[in-house]
Amino acid sequence: MDSTFRPYRSVLYIPGSKERALDKARGLACDAIIFDLEDAVTPDAKDAARETLKAALAEGGYGERAKIIRINGLDTDWGRDDVAVLKDAGADAFLLPKVNSAKDIEALDELLGGQTAIWAMIETPLGVLNALEIAAHPRLGGFVAGTNDLAKELNCRSRDDRLPMMFALQQMLLAARAHDVICVDGVYNQYLNEEGLAAECEQGRDLGFDGKTLIHPAQVAGANTAFAPTEAEIDLAKRQIEAHEEIERTGQGVAVVDGKIVENLHVETAKKTLAKAEAIAKLG
C-alpha cells in the first residue's frame, strides 16, 4: 500500500512476548500494530520476546497492516539487542521510546543502517519541546503520543477534556504537520468504556491526529469509525471537486457548494479525504 495514504486509524499495541496475542492480531481489523518489547515485556522475558516476535514476523500473515516494533530505549540493557535481532525482520518501522531530541533518532538510524523508518514516542517534556527538530529528521516517519508517561512527567491531573495535556498534543501535531509525518494520539486507559473512548477519539480527530493507539482489541472498531471519513464528508468532497472542476472548464464565476466558496485548498483537502477513504476500502 502507498505509504502516502496508508490509514493509521487504529494502532494496536501487542506484547511481543505473547504468541497467542501475536497470532490473534493477524485477524484483527486494526490499521497498524505496535509489537511492543518495552512496557509490555518484563525484564526477565525480553530476550525470549525478541525471538518470539522474530518468528511471528517471519511467519507473516499480517496483511496490509503497518508493522511497527517498539524497542527498548537505547540507554537500557536491551535496546541495542532488540535492533540487532530484529532490524531485518520485515518491520515497516521501529518505534523508539522517550525520544528527547533528534540525536536519539540519529543513534537508532545508525544502528538500523539507514534502511528503515523510525517513529518516535513523544512522552517527555524535552520530547515535546524538541518535537520540531525530531520531526525534521529525514528517517522520521511518525509520532506516537505517550500520554501516560507525559502526564506523569508533567504531574498534571487526569481530565476527560485533557486540558492539561492540550499544549503538548498540539505541539506534536504542529511539528508533525510541518514535516509531513504521521501523528497518532495516545491510549485511552478505560478500555471497556466505549463512550469515553468515542469521545476521546472524536477529540483527537478534531485536533488533527491520524489515529489512536489502543491497548485492547475491543477498541479497534471505535477508533476505525472515529478516524475514517464519514459518508457526509465523502459526499461533500466529491461535490467540491466536481464544482471546482466545472468552474475551471467554463472559466466563469466561483465554485460554491452548500453556500460556501470552494477554493484550491478545499479541493486539496477533498482529494485527501477521498484518497483516505479509498485506502481504507482496500483494507477490507
Side-chain angles (χ1 to χ4, degrees):
M1 180 177 294
D2 185 348
S3 61
T4 305
F5 299 113
R6 181 194 290 273
Y8 287 95
R9 300 167 297 166
S10 50
V11 182
L12 180 65
Y13 284 103
I14 295 291
S17 58
K18 305 293 186 183
E19 290 184 19
R20 182 178 177 183
L22 291 168
D23 181 57
K24 183 178 179 180
R26 294 184 172 95
L28 297 176
C30 53
D31 291 344
I33 300 170
I34 295 176
F35 299 100
D36 191 11
L37 297 175
E38 193 208 16
D39 289 345
V41 180
T42 58
D44 62 316
K46 289 189 184 290
D47 291 343
R50 290 187 207 105
E51 299 302 328
T52 298
L53 177 54
K54 184 177 181 180
L57 291 172
E59 183 179 343
Y62 294 103
E64 294 287 351
R65 300 167 189 83
K67 302 180 293 294
I68 304 166
I69 299 174
R70 180 163 76 167
I71 62 172
N72 292 275
L74 299 182
D75 58 346
T76 70
D77 294 335
W78 313 287
R80 293 177 180 274
D81 288 338
D82 291 342
V83 177
V85 171
L86 293 161
K87 67 178 182 179
D88 297 319
D92 295 298
F94 280 75
L95 175 60
L96 186 63
K98 296 178 177 59
V99 174
N100 288 317
S101 72
K103 291 181 180 179
D104 297 329
I105 304 300
E106 190 63 37
L108 177 55
D109 190 37
E110 289 179 6
L111 294 177
L112 290 170
Q115 300 299 312
T116 308
I118 298 171
W119 283 38
M121 292 289 304
I122 305 299
E123 52 189 339
T124 67
L126 273 177
V128 172
L129 293 171
N130 292 328
L132 188 61
E133 72 162 48
I134 296 168
H137 193 283
R139 194 62 62 189
L140 202 286
F143 278 166
V144 174
T147 45
N148 284 334
D149 278 273
L150 186 57
K152 176 180 72 70
E153 294 293 324
L154 295 176
N155 193 31
C156 65
R157 286 178 170 168
S158 175
R159 292 173 41 150
D160 290 342
D161 63 5
R162 298 199 291 180
L163 181 62
M165 195 77 63
M166 198 53 58
F167 169 80
L169 295 175
Q170 292 182 307
Q171 176 91 338
M172 296 175 210
L173 280 161
L174 285 166
R177 297 299 172 244
H179 291 286
D180 196 26
V181 300
I182 298 297
C183 195
V184 181
D185 199 359
V187 299
Y188 182 71
N189 297 312
Q190 301 176 53
Y191 66 91
L192 296 180
N193 182 348
E194 293 183 6
E195 290 185 3
L197 173 66
E200 195 162 291
C201 283
E202 189 71 15
Q203 182 195 54
R205 175 62 189 89
D206 286 347
L207 286 169
F209 282 103
D210 295 293
K212 194 161 185 67
T213 44
L214 311 172
I215 57 174
H216 194 278
Q219 297 178 315
V220 169
N224 281 347
T225 298
F227 287 94
T230 65
E231 290 299 323
E233 289 170 337
I234 293 170
D235 176 67
L236 175 61
K238 290 178 178 178
R239 290 188 291 121
Q240 287 174 325
I241 293 169
E242 290 171 0
H244 195 266
E245 288 178 346
E246 178 63 24
I247 292 301
E248 287 188 328
R249 279 194 297 269
T250 63
Q252 296 179 359
V254 294
V256 178
V257 173
D258 296 341
K260 298 179 180 179
I261 292 176
V262 178
E263 299 178 341
N264 288 332
L265 63 93
H266 301 116
V267 174
E268 183 179 343
T269 299
K271 288 180 178 179
K272 288 180 179 179
T273 296
L274 296 184
K276 184 173 184 179
E278 182 180 349
I280 290 169
K282 288 180 179 179
L283 288 175

